[in-house]
Amino acid sequence: MPNQHPGVRLRYGLRRSEVDREVWLIDLSTGERYRAAAAINRALLELGGRWPLVGRACSLKPFHWVEAAGYRWVATHRRWFSRWGVTPACEEPGASYSGG
């Protein structure tokens, strides 16, 4: 769920600076919180097909440090991707924003 929905950050105890910097995944059944590349890996584990294998492989050393570096680069340069038609949901026209 996008963090721009009213009350989402407050409900899950996340600061604006945290959600601006990286993606978060919160497992509602356990309360565990994952951020950045770990959140992507956790999401991959929930998908069918071969995606869980990709998520597990990316969590292993030495792949994890490469994935973490790649994630940081993409997160830092995400505005560049709008040039190729990829716009983050939070920057789409009409996206709601819960201030704070």
Side-chain angles (χ1 to χ4, degrees), residues 12-83:
Y12 298 109
L14 295 168
R15 294 185 308 272
R16 178 75 187 176
S17 62
E18 291 174 316
V19 298
D20 280 347
R21 186 174 49 244
E22 55 207 3
V23 66
W24 285 81
L25 184 141
I26 301 169
D27 185 328
L28 297 179
S29 64
T30 65
E32 280 190 84
R33 298 160 56 117
Y34 304 86
R35 63 183 183 85
I40 301 299
N41 291 341
R42 182 65 179 90
L44 290 173
L45 294 177
E46 296 297 321
L47 298 175
R50 295 184 179 154
W51 292 113
L53 294 173
V54 174
R56 281 192 285 279
C58 288
S59 298
L60 300 173
K61 295 177 185 177
F63 305 114
H64 178 68
W65 71 267
V66 172
E67 179 196 31
Y71 179 89
R72 284 191 304 271
W73 187 88
V74 169
T76 301
H77 299 92
R78 64 182 169 204
R79 288 179 182 83
W80 293 359
F81 295 102
S82 64
R83 295 178 187 166

